[in-house]
Coordinates of all heavy atoms in Angstrom, one line a residue:
M1 N -45.5 -254.5 79.3 CA -44.2 -254.6 80.1 C -44.0 -253.2 80.7 O -44.1 -252.2 80.0 CB -43.1 -255.0 79.2 CG -41.8 -255.1 79.9 SD -40.4 -255.7 78.9 CE -39.9 -254.3 78.1
R2 N -43.8 -253.2 82.0 CA -43.5 -251.9 82.7 C -42.1 -251.9 83.2 O -41.7 -252.8 83.9 CB -44.5 -251.8 83.9 CG -44.4 -250.4 84.6 CD -45.6 -250.3 85.5 NE -45.6 -251.3 86.5 CZ -45.1 -251.0 87.8 NH1 -44.7 -249.9 88.1 NH2 -45.2 -252.0 88.7
T3 N -41.4 -250.9 82.9 CA -40.0 -250.7 83.3 C -39.9 -249.6 84.2 O -40.4 -248.5 83.9 CB -39.0 -250.5 82.1 OG1 -39.2 -251.6 81.2 CG2 -37.6 -250.5 82.6
V4 N -39.2 -249.8 85.4 CA -39.1 -248.7 86.4 C -37.6 -248.5 86.6 O -36.8 -249.5 86.9 CB -39.7 -249.1 87.7 CG1 -39.5 -248.0 88.7 CG2 -41.2 -249.4 87.5
T5 N -37.1 -247.3 86.4 CA -35.7 -247.1 86.6 C -35.5 -245.8 87.4 O -36.4 -244.9 87.4 CB -34.9 -246.9 85.2 OG1 -35.5 -245.9 84.5 CG2 -34.9 -248.2 84.4
S6 N -34.4 -245.6 88.0 CA -34.1 -244.4 88.6 C -33.4 -243.4 87.7 O -32.6 -243.8 86.8 CB -33.1 -244.6 89.8 OG -32.6 -243.4 90.3
N7 N -33.7 -242.1 87.7 CA -33.1 -241.2 86.9 C -31.7 -240.7 87.4 O -31.0 -240.0 86.7 CB -34.0 -239.9 86.7 CG -35.2 -240.3 85.9 OD1 -35.1 -241.1 85.0 ND2 -36.3 -239.7 86.2
Q8 N -31.4 -241.1 88.6 CA -30.2 -240.6 89.2 C -29.0 -241.3 88.6 O -29.0 -242.5 88.2 CB -30.2 -241.0 90.7 CG -31.3 -240.3 91.5 CD -31.3 -240.8 93.0 OE1 -30.5 -241.6 93.3 NE2 -32.2 -240.2 93.7
P9 N -27.9 -240.5 88.3 CA -26.7 -241.1 87.7 C -26.1 -242.1 88.7 O -26.2 -241.9 89.9 CB -25.9 -239.9 87.5 CG -26.3 -238.8 88.5 CD -27.8 -239.1 88.7
R10 N -25.5 -243.1 88.2 CA -24.7 -244.1 89.0 C -23.5 -243.4 89.4 O -22.7 -242.9 88.7 CB -24.4 -245.3 88.1 CG -23.7 -246.4 88.9 CD -24.7 -247.5 89.2 NE -24.1 -248.6 89.7 CZ -24.3 -249.1 91.0 NH1 -25.0 -248.4 91.8 NH2 -23.7 -250.2 91.4
V11 N -23.3 -243.4 90.7 CA -22.1 -242.8 91.3 C -21.1 -243.9 91.6 O -21.4 -245.0 91.9 CB -22.4 -241.9 92.5 CG1 -23.1 -240.7 92.1 CG2 -23.1 -242.7 93.6
G12 N -19.8 -243.5 91.7 CA -18.8 -244.5 92.1 C -18.3 -245.2 90.9 O -18.9 -245.1 89.8
T13 N -17.4 -246.1 91.1 CA -16.8 -246.8 90.0 C -17.0 -248.3 90.2 O -16.2 -249.1 89.6 CB -15.3 -246.5 89.9 OG1 -14.7 -246.8 91.1 CG2 -15.1 -245.1 89.5
G14 N -17.9 -248.7 91.1 CA -18.1 -250.1 91.5 C -18.8 -251.0 90.5 O -19.0 -252.1 90.7
K15 N -19.2 -250.4 89.3 CA -19.9 -251.2 88.3 C -19.0 -252.3 87.8 O -17.9 -252.1 87.4 CB -20.3 -250.3 87.1 CG -21.7 -249.8 87.3 CD -22.2 -249.2 86.0 CE -21.6 -247.9 85.7 NZ -22.1 -247.3 84.5
K16 N -19.6 -253.5 87.9 CA -18.8 -254.7 87.4 C -19.6 -255.4 86.3 O -19.2 -255.3 85.1 CB -18.5 -255.6 88.5 CG -17.6 -255.0 89.6 CD -17.4 -255.9 90.8 CE -16.6 -255.2 91.9 NZ -16.6 -256.0 93.1
K17 N -20.7 -256.0 86.6 CA -21.5 -256.7 85.6 C -22.9 -256.2 85.7 O -23.4 -255.6 86.6 CB -21.4 -258.2 85.9 CG -20.1 -258.8 85.8 CD -20.1 -260.3 86.1 CE -18.8 -260.9 85.9 NZ -18.8 -262.3 86.4
V18 N -23.6 -256.5 84.6 CA -25.0 -256.3 84.6 C -25.7 -257.7 84.7 O -25.5 -258.6 83.8 CB -25.5 -255.6 83.2 CG1 -27.0 -255.4 83.2 CG2 -24.8 -254.3 83.0
I19 N -26.4 -257.9 85.8 CA -26.9 -259.2 86.1 C -28.4 -259.2 86.1 O -29.1 -258.4 86.8 CB -26.4 -259.7 87.5 CG1 -24.9 -259.7 87.5 CG2 -27.0 -261.1 87.8 CD1 -24.3 -260.0 88.9
L20 N -29.0 -260.1 85.3 CA -30.5 -260.2 85.3 C -30.9 -261.2 86.3 O -30.4 -262.4 86.3 CB -31.0 -260.6 83.9 CG -32.5 -260.6 83.7 CD1 -32.8 -260.3 82.3 CD2 -33.1 -261.9 84.1
V21 N -31.8 -260.8 87.3 CA -32.3 -261.8 88.3 C -33.8 -262.1 88.0 O -34.6 -261.2 88.2 CB -32.2 -261.2 89.7 CG1 -32.7 -262.2 90.7 CG2 -30.7 -260.8 90.0
A22 N -34.0 -263.3 87.5 CA -35.4 -263.7 87.3 C -36.1 -264.0 88.6 O -35.5 -264.7 89.4 CB -35.5 -264.9 86.3
G23 N -37.3 -263.5 88.8 CA -37.9 -263.7 90.1 C -37.3 -262.8 91.2 O -37.3 -263.2 92.4
G24 N -36.7 -261.7 90.8 CA -36.0 -260.9 91.7 C -36.8 -260.2 92.8 O -36.2 -259.7 93.8
A25 N -38.1 -260.2 92.7 CA -39.0 -259.6 93.7 C -39.5 -260.7 94.7 O -40.3 -260.4 95.6 CB -40.2 -258.9 93.1
G26 N -38.9 -261.9 94.6 CA -39.3 -263.0 95.5 C -38.3 -263.0 96.7 O -37.4 -262.2 96.9
F27 N -38.5 -264.0 97.5 CA -37.7 -264.2 98.7 C -36.2 -264.3 98.4 O -35.4 -263.5 98.8 CB -38.2 -265.3 99.6 CG -37.4 -265.6 100.8 CD1 -37.4 -264.6 101.8 CD2 -36.7 -266.8 101.0 CE1 -36.6 -264.9 103.0 CE2 -35.9 -267.0 102.1 CZ -35.9 -266.1 103.1
I28 N -35.9 -265.4 97.6 CA -34.5 -265.6 97.3 C -34.0 -264.6 96.3 O -32.9 -264.0 96.5 CB -34.4 -267.1 96.7 CG1 -34.7 -268.1 97.8 CG2 -33.0 -267.3 96.1 CD1 -34.8 -269.5 97.2
G29 N -34.8 -264.2 95.3 CA -34.4 -263.3 94.3 C -34.0 -261.9 94.8 O -33.1 -261.3 94.4
S30 N -34.8 -261.5 95.8 CA -34.5 -260.1 96.4 C -33.2 -260.1 97.2 O -32.5 -259.1 97.2 CB -35.7 -259.6 97.2 OG -35.9 -260.5 98.3
H31 N -32.9 -261.3 97.8 CA -31.6 -261.3 98.5 C -30.5 -261.4 97.5 O -29.4 -260.8 97.7 CB -31.6 -262.6 99.4 CG -32.4 -262.4 100.7 ND1 -33.7 -262.5 100.7 CD2 -32.0 -262.0 101.9 CE1 -34.1 -262.3 102.0 NE2 -33.1 -261.9 102.7
L32 N -30.7 -262.0 96.3 CA -29.7 -262.0 95.3 C -29.5 -260.6 94.8 O -28.3 -260.1 94.6 CB -30.1 -262.9 94.1 CG -30.0 -264.4 94.4 CD1 -30.6 -265.2 93.2 CD2 -28.6 -264.8 94.6
C33 N -30.6 -259.9 94.5 CA -30.5 -258.5 94.1 C -29.7 -257.6 95.1 O -28.8 -256.9 94.7 CB -31.9 -257.8 94.0 SG -32.9 -258.5 92.6
S34 N -30.0 -257.8 96.4 CA -29.3 -257.1 97.4 C -27.8 -257.4 97.4 O -27.0 -256.5 97.5 CB -29.9 -257.5 98.8 OG -29.2 -256.8 99.8
R35 N -27.5 -258.6 97.3 CA -26.1 -259.1 97.3 C -25.3 -258.5 96.1 O -24.2 -257.9 96.2 CB -26.0 -260.6 97.3 CG -24.6 -261.2 97.1 CD -23.7 -260.9 98.3 NE -22.4 -261.5 98.1 CZ -22.0 -262.7 98.5 NH1 -22.8 -263.4 99.2 NH2 -20.8 -263.1 98.3
F36 N -25.9 -258.6 94.9 CA -25.2 -258.1 93.7 C -25.1 -256.6 93.7 O -24.0 -256.1 93.3 CB -26.0 -258.5 92.5 CG -26.0 -260.0 92.2 CD1 -27.1 -260.7 91.7 CD2 -24.9 -260.8 92.5 CE1 -27.1 -262.1 91.5 CE2 -24.9 -262.2 92.3 CZ -26.0 -262.8 91.8
L37 N -26.1 -255.9 94.2 CA -26.0 -254.4 94.3 C -24.9 -254.0 95.3 O -24.1 -253.1 95.0 CB -27.3 -253.8 94.7 CG -28.4 -253.8 93.7 CD1 -29.8 -253.5 94.3 CD2 -28.1 -252.9 92.5
A38 N -24.8 -254.8 96.4 CA -23.8 -254.5 97.4 C -22.4 -254.7 96.9 O -21.4 -254.1 97.3 CB -24.0 -255.3 98.6
E39 N -22.3 -255.6 95.9 CA -21.0 -255.9 95.3 C -20.7 -254.9 94.1 O -19.6 -255.0 93.5 CB -21.0 -257.3 94.8 CG -21.0 -258.4 95.9 CD -21.1 -259.8 95.3 OE1 -21.3 -260.0 94.1 OE2 -20.8 -260.7 96.1
G40 N -21.6 -254.0 93.9 CA -21.4 -253.0 92.9 C -21.8 -253.3 91.5 O -21.6 -252.6 90.5
H41 N -22.5 -254.4 91.4 CA -23.1 -254.8 90.0 C -24.3 -254.0 89.8 O -25.0 -253.5 90.7 CB -23.4 -256.3 90.0 CG -22.2 -257.2 90.3 ND1 -21.1 -257.3 89.4 CD2 -22.0 -258.0 91.3 CE1 -20.3 -258.1 89.9 NE2 -20.7 -258.6 91.1
E42 N -24.7 -254.0 88.5 CA -26.0 -253.5 88.1 C -27.0 -254.7 88.1 O -26.6 -255.8 87.7 CB -26.0 -252.8 86.8 CG -25.2 -251.5 86.8 CD -25.4 -250.7 85.6 OE1 -26.4 -250.9 84.8 OE2 -24.5 -249.8 85.3
V43 N -28.2 -254.5 88.5 CA -29.2 -255.6 88.6 C -30.4 -255.2 87.8 O -31.0 -254.1 87.9 CB -29.6 -255.8 90.0 CG1 -30.8 -256.8 90.1 CG2 -28.4 -256.4 90.8
I44 N -30.8 -256.1 86.9 CA -32.1 -256.0 86.2 C -33.0 -257.1 86.8 O -32.7 -258.3 86.7 CB -31.9 -256.2 84.7 CG1 -31.0 -255.2 84.1 CG2 -33.3 -256.2 84.0 CD1 -30.6 -255.5 82.7
C45 N -34.0 -256.7 87.6 CA -34.9 -257.6 88.2 C -36.1 -257.8 87.3 O -36.8 -256.9 86.9 CB -35.3 -257.0 89.6 SG -36.7 -257.9 90.4
V46 N -36.4 -259.1 87.0 CA -37.5 -259.4 86.1 C -38.5 -260.2 86.9 O -38.1 -261.3 87.4 CB -37.1 -260.1 84.8 CG1 -38.4 -260.5 84.0 CG2 -36.1 -259.3 84.0
D47 N -39.7 -259.7 87.1 CA -40.6 -260.4 88.0 C -42.1 -260.1 87.5 O -42.4 -259.0 87.1 CB -40.5 -260.0 89.4 CG -41.0 -261.1 90.4 OD1 -42.2 -261.4 90.4 OD2 -40.2 -261.6 91.1
N48 N -42.9 -261.1 87.5 CA -44.3 -260.9 87.2 C -45.2 -260.7 88.4 O -46.4 -260.6 88.3 CB -44.9 -262.0 86.3 CG -44.9 -263.3 87.0 OD1 -44.5 -263.4 88.1 ND2 -45.4 -264.3 86.3
F49 N -44.6 -260.7 89.6 CA -45.3 -260.5 90.8 C -46.4 -261.6 91.1 O -47.4 -261.3 91.8 CB -45.8 -259.1 91.0 CG -44.7 -258.1 91.1 CD1 -44.3 -257.4 90.0 CD2 -44.1 -257.8 92.3 CE1 -43.2 -256.5 90.0 CE2 -43.1 -256.9 92.4 CZ -42.6 -256.3 91.3
E50 N -46.2 -262.7 90.6 CA -47.1 -263.8 90.8 C -47.2 -264.2 92.3 O -48.2 -264.3 92.9 CB -46.8 -265.1 90.0 CG -47.8 -266.2 90.1 CD -47.4 -267.3 89.1 OE1 -47.3 -267.0 87.9 OE2 -47.4 -268.4 89.5
T51 N -46.0 -264.3 92.9 CA -45.9 -264.5 94.3 C -45.0 -263.5 95.0 O -44.9 -263.4 96.2 CB -45.4 -266.0 94.7 OG1 -44.1 -266.1 94.1 CG2 -46.3 -267.0 94.1
G52 N -44.2 -262.8 94.2 CA -43.3 -261.8 94.7 C -44.0 -260.5 95.2 O -45.3 -260.4 95.0
S53 N -43.3 -259.6 95.7 CA -43.9 -258.4 96.3 C -43.0 -257.2 96.0 O -41.7 -257.3 96.1 CB -44.0 -258.6 97.8 OG -44.3 -257.3 98.4
M54 N -43.6 -256.1 95.7 CA -42.9 -254.8 95.6 C -42.2 -254.5 96.9 O -41.1 -253.9 96.8 CB -43.9 -253.7 95.2 CG -43.2 -252.4 94.8 SD -42.2 -252.5 93.4 CE -43.4 -252.3 92.1
A55 N -42.7 -254.9 98.0 CA -42.1 -254.6 99.3 C -40.7 -255.2 99.4 O -39.8 -254.7 100.0 CB -42.9 -255.2 100.4
N56 N -40.5 -256.4 98.6 CA -39.2 -257.0 98.7 C -38.1 -256.2 97.9 O -36.9 -256.5 98.1 CB -39.3 -258.4 98.0 CG -40.0 -259.4 98.9 OD1 -40.1 -259.2 100.1 ND2 -40.6 -260.4 98.3
V57 N -38.5 -255.4 97.0 CA -37.5 -254.6 96.2 C -37.6 -253.1 96.4 O -36.9 -252.3 95.8 CB -37.7 -254.9 94.7 CG1 -37.3 -256.4 94.4 CG2 -39.1 -254.7 94.2
A58 N -38.6 -252.7 97.3 CA -38.8 -251.2 97.5 C -37.5 -250.5 97.9 O -37.2 -249.4 97.5 CB -39.9 -251.0 98.5
M59 N -36.7 -251.2 98.7 CA -35.4 -250.6 99.2 C -34.4 -250.4 98.1 O -33.4 -249.6 98.3 CB -34.8 -251.4 100.3 CG -34.3 -252.7 99.9 SD -35.6 -253.9 99.5 CE -36.0 -254.6 101.1
F60 N -34.6 -251.0 96.9 CA -33.6 -250.8 95.8 C -34.1 -249.8 94.8 O -33.3 -249.4 93.9 CB -33.5 -252.2 95.0 CG -33.2 -253.4 95.9 CD1 -33.9 -254.5 95.7 CD2 -32.3 -253.3 96.9 CE1 -33.7 -255.7 96.5 CE2 -32.1 -254.4 97.7 CZ -32.8 -255.6 97.5
M61 N -35.3 -249.3 94.9 CA -35.8 -248.5 93.8 C -35.1 -247.2 93.6 O -35.1 -246.6 92.5 CB -37.3 -248.2 94.1 CG -38.2 -249.4 94.1 SD -38.0 -250.5 92.6 CE -38.8 -249.4 91.4
N62 N -34.4 -246.6 94.6 CA -33.6 -245.4 94.4 C -32.2 -245.7 94.1 O -31.4 -244.8 93.9 CB -33.7 -244.5 95.7 CG -35.1 -243.9 95.8 OD1 -35.7 -243.6 94.8 ND2 -35.5 -243.8 97.1
D63 N -31.9 -247.0 94.0 CA -30.5 -247.3 93.6 C -30.4 -247.2 92.1 O -31.1 -247.9 91.4 CB -30.2 -248.7 94.1 CG -28.7 -249.1 93.9 OD1 -28.1 -248.7 92.9 OD2 -28.2 -249.8 94.8
P64 N -29.5 -246.4 91.6 CA -29.3 -246.2 90.1 C -28.9 -247.5 89.4 O -29.0 -247.6 88.2 CB -28.3 -245.1 90.0 CG -27.6 -245.0 91.3 CD -28.6 -245.5 92.3
G65 N -28.4 -248.4 90.2 CA -27.9 -249.7 89.6 C -29.0 -250.7 89.5 O -28.7 -251.8 89.1
F66 N -30.2 -250.3 89.9 CA -31.3 -251.3 89.9 C -32.4 -250.9 88.9 O -32.8 -249.8 88.8 CB -31.9 -251.3 91.3 CG -33.1 -252.3 91.5 CD1 -32.8 -253.7 91.6 CD2 -34.4 -251.9 91.5 CE1 -33.8 -254.6 91.8 CE2 -35.4 -252.8 91.6 CZ -35.1 -254.2 91.7
R67 N -32.8 -251.9 88.2 CA -33.9 -251.7 87.2 C -34.9 -252.9 87.4 O -34.5 -254.0 87.5 CB -33.3 -251.8 85.8 CG -34.3 -251.3 84.7 CD -33.8 -251.2 83.3 NE -32.4 -251.5 83.0 CZ -32.0 -251.9 81.8 NH1 -32.9 -252.0 80.9 NH2 -30.7 -252.2 81.6
L68 N -36.1 -252.5 87.4 CA -37.2 -253.5 87.6 C -38.0 -253.6 86.4 O -38.5 -252.6 85.8 CB -38.1 -253.0 88.8 CG -39.4 -253.9 89.0 CD1 -39.0 -255.3 89.4 CD2 -40.2 -253.2 90.1
I69 N -38.2 -254.8 85.9 CA -39.0 -255.0 84.7 C -40.1 -256.0 85.1 O -39.9 -257.1 85.6 CB -38.3 -255.6 83.5 CG1 -37.1 -254.7 83.1 CG2 -39.2 -255.9 82.4 CD1 -36.2 -255.2 82.0
E70 N -41.4 -255.5 85.1 CA -42.5 -256.4 85.4 C -42.9 -257.1 84.2 O -43.4 -256.6 83.2 CB -43.7 -255.5 85.9 CG -44.8 -256.4 86.4 CD -46.0 -255.5 87.0 OE1 -45.7 -254.3 87.3 OE2 -47.1 -256.1 87.1
Q71 N -42.6 -258.4 84.2 CA -42.7 -259.2 83.0 C -42.6 -260.7 83.3 O -41.9 -261.1 84.3 CB -41.4 -258.9 82.1 CG -41.1 -259.8 80.9 CD -42.1 -259.6 79.8 OE1 -42.5 -258.5 79.5 NE2 -42.5 -260.7 79.2
D72 N -43.4 -261.5 82.6 CA -43.3 -263.0 82.7 C -42.0 -263.4 82.0 O -41.9 -263.2 80.8 CB -44.6 -263.6 82.1 CG -44.6 -265.1 82.3 OD1 -43.6 -265.7 82.5 OD2 -45.7 -265.6 82.4
I73 N -41.2 -264.1 82.7 CA -39.9 -264.5 82.2 C -40.1 -265.5 81.1 O -39.1 -265.8 80.3 CB -38.9 -265.0 83.3 CG1 -37.5 -265.0 82.8 CG2 -39.3 -266.4 83.7 CD1 -36.9 -263.6 82.8
C74 N -41.2 -266.2 81.0 CA -41.5 -267.2 80.0 C -41.8 -266.7 78.7 O -41.9 -267.4 77.7 CB -42.6 -268.1 80.5 SG -42.2 -269.0 82.1
I75 N -42.2 -265.4 78.7 CA -42.6 -264.7 77.4 C -41.4 -263.9 76.9 O -40.8 -263.1 77.6 CB -43.8 -263.8 77.6 CG1 -45.0 -264.6 78.1 CG2 -44.1 -263.0 76.4 CD1 -46.1 -263.8 78.6
P76 N -41.0 -264.1 75.6 CA -39.8 -263.4 75.1 C -40.0 -261.9 75.2 O -41.1 -261.4 75.0 CB -39.8 -263.8 73.6 CG -40.4 -265.2 73.6 CD -41.5 -265.1 74.7
F77 N -39.0 -261.2 75.6 CA -39.0 -259.7 75.7 C -37.6 -259.2 75.5 O -36.6 -259.9 75.5 CB -39.5 -259.3 77.0 CG -38.7 -259.7 78.2 CD1 -37.9 -258.8 78.8 CD2 -38.7 -261.0 78.7 CE1 -37.1 -259.1 79.9 CE2 -37.9 -261.4 79.8 CZ -37.1 -260.4 80.4
E78 N -37.5 -257.9 75.2 CA -36.2 -257.3 74.9 C -35.8 -256.5 76.2 O -36.6 -255.9 76.8 CB -36.3 -256.4 73.7 CG -36.4 -257.1 72.4 CD -36.3 -256.2 71.2 OE1 -35.8 -255.1 71.4 OE2 -36.8 -256.6 70.1
V79 N -34.5 -256.5 76.4 CA -33.9 -255.7 77.4 C -32.9 -254.7 76.8 O -32.1 -255.1 76.0 CB -33.2 -256.5 78.5 CG1 -32.5 -255.7 79.5 CG2 -34.1 -257.5 79.1
K80 N -33.0 -253.4 77.1 CA -32.1 -252.4 76.6 C -30.7 -252.6 77.2 O -30.6 -252.8 78.4 CB -32.6 -251.0 76.8 CG -33.8 -250.6 75.9 CD -34.2 -249.2 76.2 CE -35.5 -248.8 75.5 NZ -36.0 -247.5 75.8
G81 N -29.7 -252.5 76.4 CA -28.4 -252.6 77.0 C -27.9 -254.0 77.1 O -28.6 -255.0 76.7
R82 N -26.7 -254.2 77.6 CA -26.1 -255.5 77.7 C -26.5 -256.2 79.0 O -26.9 -255.6 80.0 CB -24.6 -255.4 77.7 CG -24.0 -254.9 78.9 CD -22.4 -254.9 78.8 NE -21.8 -255.0 80.1 CZ -21.6 -254.0 81.0 NH1 -21.9 -252.8 80.6 NH2 -21.0 -254.2 82.1
I83 N -26.4 -257.5 78.9 CA -26.6 -258.4 80.1 C -25.3 -259.3 80.2 O -25.0 -260.0 79.2 CB -27.9 -259.3 80.0 CG1 -29.1 -258.4 80.0 CG2 -27.9 -260.2 81.2 CD1 -30.4 -259.1 79.7
D84 N -24.7 -259.3 81.3 CA -23.5 -260.1 81.4 C -23.8 -261.5 82.0 O -23.2 -262.5 81.6 CB -22.5 -259.4 82.3 CG -22.0 -258.1 81.8 OD1 -21.7 -258.1 80.5 OD2 -22.0 -257.1 82.5
E85 N -24.7 -261.5 82.9 CA -25.1 -262.8 83.5 C -26.6 -262.8 83.9 O -27.2 -261.8 84.1 CB -24.3 -263.0 84.8 CG -22.8 -263.3 84.6 CD -22.1 -263.7 85.9 OE1 -22.8 -264.2 86.8 OE2 -20.9 -263.5 85.9
C86 N -27.2 -264.0 83.9 CA -28.5 -264.1 84.3 C -28.7 -265.5 85.0 O -27.9 -266.3 84.9 CB -29.5 -263.9 83.2 SG -29.3 -265.0 81.8
Ligands
NAD1 N1 -38.5 -265.4 106.1 C1 -38.3 -266.6 105.5 O1 -37.6 -267.5 106.0 C2 -39.0 -266.9 104.3 C3 -39.8 -265.9 103.7 C4 -40.5 -266.2 102.5 C5 -40.2 -267.5 101.9 N2 -39.4 -268.4 102.5 C6 -39.1 -269.7 101.8 O2 -38.5 -269.4 100.6 C7 -38.9 -270.3 99.6 C8 -39.6 -269.5 98.5 O3 -38.8 -268.5 98.0 P1 -38.6 -268.3 96.5 O4 -37.7 -267.1 96.4 O5 -38.2 -269.6 95.8 O6 -40.1 -268.0 96.0 P2 -40.8 -266.7 95.8 O7 -42.2 -267.0 95.4 O8 -40.6 -265.8 97.0 O9 -40.0 -266.0 94.6 C9 -40.3 -266.4 93.3 C10 -40.4 -265.1 92.5 O10 -40.5 -265.5 91.1 C11 -41.5 -264.7 90.5 N3 -42.0 -265.5 89.4 C12 -42.7 -266.7 89.4 N4 -42.9 -267.0 88.1 C13 -42.5 -266.0 87.3 C14 -42.5 -265.8 85.9 N5 -43.0 -266.7 85.0 N6 -41.9 -264.7 85.4 C15 -41.4 -263.8 86.2 N7 -41.3 -263.9 87.6 C16 -41.9 -265.0 88.1 C17 -42.5 -264.5 91.6 O11 -43.4 -263.5 91.4 C18 -41.6 -264.3 92.8 O12 -41.2 -263.0 93.0 C19 -39.9 -271.2 100.3 O13 -39.2 -272.4 100.7 C20 -40.4 -270.4 101.5 O14 -40.8 -271.3 102.5 C21 -38.8 -268.1 103.7

């Protein structure tokens, strides 16, 4: 499992929920990531890149509210911290 996070501190007070988006590097998933980040939520994107692309999430990589976990969602795994919605 590879986890990619930004070291930059989260600025602003817009944090609302921590939302896990399965398949977040895909077409629909990346749009969900974009929407949730724009609303001030934190996003944990879980994707095994079977059909998704890093290009779909590249624009989020410097966002401190975005975390990418390369992982098959069908295989149990642990996520640090809380998850409010998925
Ligand atoms: N520009 C456009 O209009 C456009 C572009 C692309 C796709 N589409 C359409 O969108 C639809 C497809 O979009 P989508 O978002 O449903 O599919 P997608 O393949 O883009 O997204 C699915 C995501 O789930 C991931 N995934 C699959 N199995 C996984 C697993 N076990 N664990 C973790 N991640 C996993 C894939 O890697 C991928 O990132 C199709 O109807 C397609 O025609 C439209």
Side-chain angles (χ1 to χ4, degrees):
M1 183 172 82
R2 185 167 64 97
T3 304
V4 182
T5 56
S6 168
N7 291 326
Q8 296 174 0
R10 184 102 169 116
V11 292
T13 56
K15 267 193 285 183
K16 295 174 185 171
K17 292 178 181 175
V18 180
I19 302 174
L20 187 150
V21 179
F27 177 64
I28 294 170
S30 60
H31 282 83
L32 288 173
C33 291
S34 178
R35 172 67 180 265
F36 293 143
L37 288 169
E39 291 177 347
H41 301 295
E42 290 189 23
V43 170
I44 301 171
C45 168
V46 179
D47 203 297
N48 66 355
F49 291 97
E50 187 172 307
T51 59
S53 167
M54 188 63 83
N56 288 336
V57 293
M59 68 289 272
F60 311 134
M61 297 307 290
N62 288 327
D63 188 321
F66 182 78
R67 192 174 0 154
L68 173 64
I69 300 176
E70 187 174 345
Q71 167 74 36
D72 186 332
I73 199 73
C74 299
I75 299 172
F77 64 102
E78 289 188 18
V79 176
K80 288 181 184 173
R82 74 176 207 276
I83 297 171
D84 298 313
E85 291 188 20
C86 59

